[in-house]
Amino acid sequence: MIVRIMGEGQVEIGTADIDVLNSLDVELEAAIESDDEDVFRTKLHALLEKVRQVGKALPDDSLEPSELILPPADASIEEVREMLGDTGLIPG
């Protein structure tokens, strides 16, 4: 799966890593629902850091279509809330 972190670039994520990313996504959604800015910020950074950790960065000149777009680390709760779909930021 090709994932774009807005403002950073793309990474390729293996299917084996989707479950751990989904669990972090669930925690992020809970922080958004409770409108807890501190927990939201911690969970967003944890999710993005895990994507960077498990993902393989694609070259800047790569033109691969992104299957998933994640917000930047400095996104607000409202910005991320607008990006959430029925299955959160990470489907599955």
Side-chain angles (χ1 to χ4, degrees), residues 26-90:
V26 167
E27 293 173 10
L28 176 62
E29 283 185 80
I32 291 169
E33 288 175 13
S34 68
D35 216 25
D36 187 325
E37 178 71 33
D38 292 333
V39 174
F40 161 76
R41 188 75 36 215
T42 299
K43 298 302 180 181
L44 177 60
H45 286 208
L47 174 63
L48 296 176
E49 186 56 36
K50 185 54 105 174
V51 168
R52 292 182 200 108
Q53 181 184 38
V54 301
K56 175 185 166 208
L58 297 179
D60 289 338
D61 61 351
S62 175
L63 298 174
E64 299 293 324
S66 299
E67 298 170 70
L68 180 62
I69 298 175
L70 297 177
D74 62 352
S76 70
I77 286 180
E78 278 307 312
E79 291 170 326
V80 177
R81 186 176 282 132
E82 290 175 12
M83 293 179 73
L84 290 175
D86 292 338
T87 59
L89 290 173
I90 301 177

